[in-house]
Amino acid sequence: MEIRLTEVEEQICTLLDECTKNLARQKDITTSCRIAGGWLLGSQSNDIDIALTDMMGYPFALEFNEFANETEHIMVKAVSKVKGNPGQSKHLETAKTSVLGVELDFVNLRDEEYAEGSRIPTSVTYGTPLQDALRRDITINSLFYNVHTRAVEDHCGKGLEDLKNGIIRTPLPPKQTFLDDPLRVLRCIRFASRFGFEMVPELEDSARDPEIQKALSQKITRERVGEEIDKMMSGRDPLRSIQFIDSLSLFSTVFYIPPTLVSTLSSSPRPSYTSVAAAAILQGFLNPKAAAFDHPPLHSLLTSRLSGSSSASTIPRLYLACALTPYTGILYEDGKKRERPAVEAAIREGLKIGTKNHYLDGIPALFIAAERLRSPIVGSDKFKTPSERVAIGRILRETSVHNSLMDSHWTSSLLFSLVQELVPLYAPGEDGFNGAPCHLIARLVLIIGSTVREAAECIRVYNNFVVRVEELGLDKMVDMKPIIDGRAVVEVLGAKKAGQWTGKVLSTVIDWQLEHPNGTKEQCAEWLKGEHASGRVSIVDDPSTTLRRRMIGAMNSIIGIRSGAEWRNCREVVEAYNVSGLDFGITSDGDSGKIQSRGNMARRMEGDGKRGAESWPEFGDTWTKQAIQKH
């Protein structure tokens, strides 16, 4: 294997070589430098990992800094130390610096021993190049580039051959490698997907081993799992990663939902192969040449925002949403007994990747949008009221469908809806479409015959919808602001002040603009006055809503009540709320705690202010919390 160095890389290697020779001459320190990591595999990275023999990274980095600055007169950035953090796979401290625009990470070659039940090594010592190579995840990652000899070293004896033949295998027996660090299962998937390589059978068998999967669940933090999944979804071939997760029976291990939440799921997840089906359909739309079946071309708008910089977060988000397809339509109960989408639990609890690429906020929205946009047949009843323009415009402007703050566009939401609608047309199988081997998904085929025609018709429905959106000019109105702002609305309608009613009126203003795309501010104002005069627009808040706000405000200040006057004020709000017919109390449902809370409330309402204030903490801990949750 020949490595062609750039001019800068050649300078860096020469500096490292000269520095080690200088250390031997001047300080009788013997060490050697090898480049490891993704750089050898052509990784597009601005950093280079330097592995050292018999010397820690930080002291060598200091020597390198001094040598380059003072002897070679080359500016090197000040050295920083990153302390070891075994919980985050940083078992040894690393020294960092930068020279000639390239970041260098220095760490010593090492040998590790692991205790059963932990991925954190119990012993880390200086190691030989062979020992360091054997502890790595896969053979192609165990290669070194010796900066002194300018040669690639394959201490495992299989790395170069596996790189040439496109093979993913572990330096040691895979079960031993995975038990030492179960995260390596996911790293094998990521590298196989990144390079289009195949895993050796014994590696796949070990990845399916229940013992390994249990270790992956128990020994690896969910953040580390999420980090690997994010790299897969942002990588070269997300579909292949999703396919491996399915074929290795890792879906429930990777897209984990805690048992306490699983018990509250509204239904069982769909088969895991539906995640592969969704991802395969998406990839077929993004790359028609790799499509698993022939289909009518998509309207260009549906994929227009999925290229270039605008796709940096959208495409990974779409693929991860596809991976979570088995959780479609399933809800769970959170700690406050609120129903939430199961995909949210998988992201929040299983992957812990938060809002990166708008996964946590954007993916649940995609599933909501998919349901709202499903079967967008032009001329259907759902697009008739109050008019076609307004009905379509309203849906496109819903925050789950289009939200610039989440980098979510209505076209990508519509594309995901189409993908989800096509998923049921796939079924498990061994052969590819029309009997030809399917190079994308060996386990999935599109059912031949009427289902193919059904898929083509579904695509035509979505294309026709986009055409209609363009004809109506609604594609240019999704980010439209009200032509009259809130302050102007108050003035036009002669209201004393803004309130919750203002937001409702502004929504009607948007509807008017959707219906009258060329309308002026003056025309809108006249129309609004007419709507108010006819009673169709109100400038008064709903009394029950106002009372509810006062009630919650009173409850929020409960702990601060110290006087009878404050108690009586809260009592007035409670009584007014109940008189309004919106009883804020707890109904008797057989739960003794709730009945007792109701009794406590009655006693406090009957007592004087002082008595109520004295016993308020108990009241706040029981009845209040339940009441607020209820309403």
Side-chain angles (χ1 to χ4, degrees):
M1 178 180 179
E2 181 182 355
I3 299 292
R4 295 184 179 180
L5 302 178
T6 65
E7 183 178 345
V8 169
E9 290 168 344
E10 179 67 42
Q11 283 184 271
I12 291 174
C13 287
T14 299
L15 274 175
L16 291 168
D17 182 44
E18 292 297 330
C19 180
T20 58
K21 291 177 180 177
N22 184 67
L23 282 174
R25 287 194 305 267
Q26 302 295 329
K27 300 184 179 182
D28 197 27
I29 296 176
T30 302
T31 187
S32 59
C33 301
R34 290 170 172 82
I35 299 178
W39 177 85
L40 271 168
L41 303 178
S43 174
Q44 298 298 316
S45 176
N46 290 325
D47 68 320
I48 297 177
D49 297 330
I50 309 297
L52 305 161
T53 55
D54 302 318
M55 190 173 186
M56 296 290 286
Y58 186 67
F60 179 85
L62 293 176
E63 296 287 353
F64 177 76
N65 186 301
E66 180 181 346
F67 174 78
N69 281 317
E70 298 182 6
T71 305
E72 300 297 325
H73 307 293
I74 296 176
M75 290 298 297
V76 179
K77 187 178 178 181
V79 177
S80 62
K81 182 193 296 186
V82 180
K83 293 184 178 181
N85 184 352
Q88 295 297 320
S89 291
K90 292 288 186 183
H91 303 313
L92 290 180
E93 69 177 34
T94 303
K96 291 180 173 289
T97 188
S98 178
V99 60
L100 301 174
V102 178
E103 291 186 6
L104 301 181
D105 292 354
F106 296 94
V107 69
N108 61 284
L109 293 170
R110 61 191 187 272
D111 187 25
E112 299 171 347
E113 293 182 2
Y114 293 83
E116 184 177 352
S118 173
R119 63 180 294 268
I120 299 174
T122 56
S123 173
V124 180
T125 60
Y126 286 124
T128 64
L130 173 60
Q131 289 172 324
D132 191 277
L134 290 175
R135 71 165 186 83
R136 294 181 179 265
D137 47 13
I138 51 180
T139 56
I140 63 173
N141 276 343
S142 69
L143 299 172
F144 294 113
Y145 181 74
N146 191 313
V147 303
H148 312 291
T149 64
R150 298 294 202 273
V152 175
E153 298 175 344
D154 183 6
H155 294 278
C156 291
K158 295 180 180 178
L160 289 173
E161 181 182 351
D162 288 345
L163 188 61
K164 178 182 177 181
N165 296 327
I167 297 296
I168 296 294
R169 87 170 82 230
T170 54
L172 296 174
K175 186 166 185 176
Q176 176 184 341
T177 297
F178 293 157
L179 285 176
D180 283 347
D181 185 353
L183 187 67
R184 290 168 177 165
V185 173
L186 300 185
R187 287 178 57 82
C188 287
I189 292 175
R190 177 159 63 86
F191 279 99
S193 303
R194 173 182 167 187
F195 295 112
F197 287 4
E198 296 295 333
M199 298 180 185
V200 294
E202 56 268 27
L203 188 152
E204 292 188 340
D205 291 342
S206 293
R208 294 189 186 97
D209 189 324
E211 183 180 2
I212 299 298
Q213 297 194 359
K214 181 179 179 181
L216 179 57
S217 295
Q218 296 181 351
K219 293 171 64 175
I220 305 299
T221 65
R222 301 314 302 180
E223 290 86 352
R224 294 290 290 145
V225 173
E227 183 180 333
E228 287 296 322
I229 294 300
D230 174 51
K231 290 178 179 178
M232 293 179 198
M233 298 303 104
S234 304
R236 173 178 171 270
D237 194 348
L239 167 59
R240 189 169 174 82
S241 295
I242 295 170
Q243 182 183 1
F244 274 124
I245 290 171
D246 171 56
S247 66
L248 298 177
S249 303
L250 287 166
F251 181 86
S252 59
T253 301
V254 172
F255 303 115
Y256 169 84
I257 294 180
T260 54
L261 300 183
V262 169
S263 63
T264 71
L265 292 180
S266 59
S267 62
S268 299
R270 297 158 72 182
S272 62
Y273 71 75
T274 57
S275 64
V276 186
I281 295 167
L282 176 62
Q283 179 163 299
F285 288 146
L286 298 181
N287 183 12
K289 293 181 180 179
F293 67 99
D294 292 331
H295 58 74
L298 283 186
H299 192 290
S300 59
L301 264 185
L302 285 172
T303 56
S304 61
R305 294 180 58 85
L306 299 180
S307 60
S309 59
S310 61
S311 65
S313 68
T314 305
I315 289 181
R317 184 166 66 250
L318 285 171
Y319 271 112
L320 183 53
C322 287
L324 294 170
T325 292
Y327 292 127
T328 301
I330 300 177
L331 303 175
Y332 78 98
E333 285 188 359
D334 66 10
K336 296 182 179 179
K337 302 299 181 182
R338 297 174 301 186
E339 288 191 332
R340 308 291 301 174
V343 292
E344 180 184 291
I347 299 168
R348 185 192 301 277
E349 305 297 336
L351 301 178
K352 292 188 181 293
I353 46 181
T355 57
K356 183 175 183 180
N357 287 332
H358 291 287
Y359 289 135
L360 183 57
D361 51 352
I363 289 178
L366 278 173
F367 281 93
I368 294 171
E371 187 61 32
R372 294 287 291 123
L373 294 167
R374 186 177 182 81
S375 299
I377 302 172
V378 175
S380 62
D381 289 344
K382 73 175 181 178
F383 296 138
K384 289 183 178 179
T385 305
S387 70
E388 184 185 33
R389 290 188 59 87
V390 175
I392 294 178
R394 282 177 177 176
I395 288 181
L396 296 185
R397 289 175 57 86
E398 289 181 9
T399 54
S400 62
V401 175
H402 184 90
N403 189 339
S404 57
L405 296 178
M406 294 193 308
D407 195 25
S408 172
H409 197 267
W410 68 271
T411 53
S412 55
S413 297
L414 192 63
L415 177 64
F416 184 72
S417 178
L418 171 58
V419 167
Q420 290 296 304
E421 199 159 345
L422 291 175
V423 166
L425 304 184
Y426 276 77
E430 296 299 330
D431 300 320
F433 183 59
N434 281 338
C438 177
H439 61 285
L440 282 177
I441 38 176
R443 291 186 58 236
L444 299 172
V445 295
L446 188 69
I447 300 174
I448 300 173
S450 61
T451 311
V452 175
R453 292 190 292 273
E454 185 179 346
E457 177 57 28
C458 183
I459 294 170
R460 277 190 284 271
V461 166
Y462 278 78
N463 283 343
N464 291 340
F465 179 74
V466 178
V467 169
R468 188 57 179 156
V469 169
E470 285 189 304
E471 290 174 347
L472 296 173
L474 294 172
D475 54 317
K476 299 177 177 62
M477 304 182 79
V478 289
D479 292 312
M480 177 180 64
K481 304 296 182 184
I483 197 170
I484 300 178
D485 62 20
R487 183 175 299 178
V489 164
V490 171
E491 183 179 342
V492 166
L493 298 182
K496 293 182 179 180
K497 62 179 181 178
Q500 287 194 332
W501 63 269
T502 314
K504 296 178 181 179
V505 173
L506 289 174
S507 294
T508 66
V509 169
I510 289 292
D511 286 351
W512 183 88
Q513 291 175 249
L514 290 170
E515 193 67 70
H516 305 85
N518 299 317
T520 66
K521 182 183 296 187
E522 292 73 22
Q523 290 172 332
C524 182
E526 287 302 314
W527 168 81
L528 202 54
K529 290 177 182 178
E531 291 294 289
H532 180 228
S534 66
R536 288 189 290 271
V537 167
S538 173
I539 59 174
V540 179
D541 283 338
D542 183 346
S544 64
T545 303
T546 303
L547 278 170
R548 184 176 186 276
R549 289 206 313 273
R550 290 181 63 199
M551 184 64 182
I552 292 177
M555 292 301 176
N556 286 339
S557 62
I558 257 175
I559 303 303
I561 289 182
R562 290 293 180 269
S563 69
E566 289 175 330
W567 165 252
R568 284 190 294 274
N569 179 58
C570 183
R571 173 181 172 177
E572 290 172 3
V573 176
V574 174
E575 289 176 335
Y577 206 95
N578 289 338
V579 168
S580 72
L582 299 171
D583 186 359
F584 212 91
I586 303 302
T587 57
S588 176
D589 60 359
D591 184 316
S592 59
K594 291 185 177 181
I595 294 172
Q596 179 63 33
S597 296
R598 164 71 82 171
N600 288 343
M601 177 61 186
R603 286 194 293 275
R604 283 153 183 71
M605 293 296 286
E606 293 169 359
D608 59 18
K610 183 177 180 180
R611 180 182 175 189
E614 289 174 347
S615 54
W616 191 253
E618 179 187 356
F619 179 86
D621 286 343
T622 54
W623 182 86
T624 309
K625 293 180 181 178
Q626 295 175 32
I628 289 176
Q629 287 175 5
K630 178 181 178 183
H631 293 277

